[in-house]
Amino acid sequence: MTVQLNHTIVAARDKHMSARFLADLLGLQVSPQYGPFIPVAIPNGVTLDFMDHPGSGSGSGSGGIAPQHYAFLVSEDDFDAIFGRIRAAGLTYWADPAHRRAGEVNRNDGGRGVYFDDPNGHSLEILTRPYGSGLTG
């Protein structure tokens, strides 16, 4: 049996802005709206479908959105490009998921990784080596 993740829904206060935020940072394209979704296709065949969360108007707070974690395995060259866009956007980034090591890059498993937040409070991560694949640090 072959099982592959095909898509997942990402709750957002503004699906258009949230899809554009991710696509711009990762160097991807926002696809045309499909039903209530604004898709961002990831090159490995998975699509993140951004959808406005019920009750998530223009008020303050997360609008009831439960923060999720989305990690993206990227090449060393892509890491450099994405990390450059993160810094150019003035985003705070961390070397750890607990957000204790601000302004640092981790070197886990002999690769590089950083965490940063999207406008909805979701934790995003880029990493160049899967966890458990090599050296730790």
Side-chain angles (χ1 to χ4, degrees), residues 45-130:
V46 175
T47 302
L48 300 179
D49 291 328
F50 288 82
M51 184 173 98
D52 287 336
H53 186 272
S56 59
S58 61
S60 62
S62 67
I65 295 174
Q68 300 294 317
H69 175 74
Y70 299 95
F72 302 93
L73 183 62
V74 300
S75 70
E76 290 288 340
D77 288 341
D78 287 336
F79 183 95
D80 290 337
I82 296 165
F83 188 49
R85 289 190 286 270
I86 290 168
R87 290 185 307 203
L91 297 175
T92 302
Y93 60 89
W94 300 268
D96 63 309
H99 294 177
R100 290 189 202 119
R101 296 172 47 204
E104 296 182 39
V105 175
N106 74 50
R107 300 287 179 174
N108 297 341
D109 292 291
R112 295 183 291 164
V114 295
Y115 298 79
F116 56 101
D117 291 341
D118 87 341
N120 302 291
H122 297 304
S123 177
L124 307 177
E125 176 185 8
I126 56 171
L127 66 158
T128 61
R129 295 280 304 265

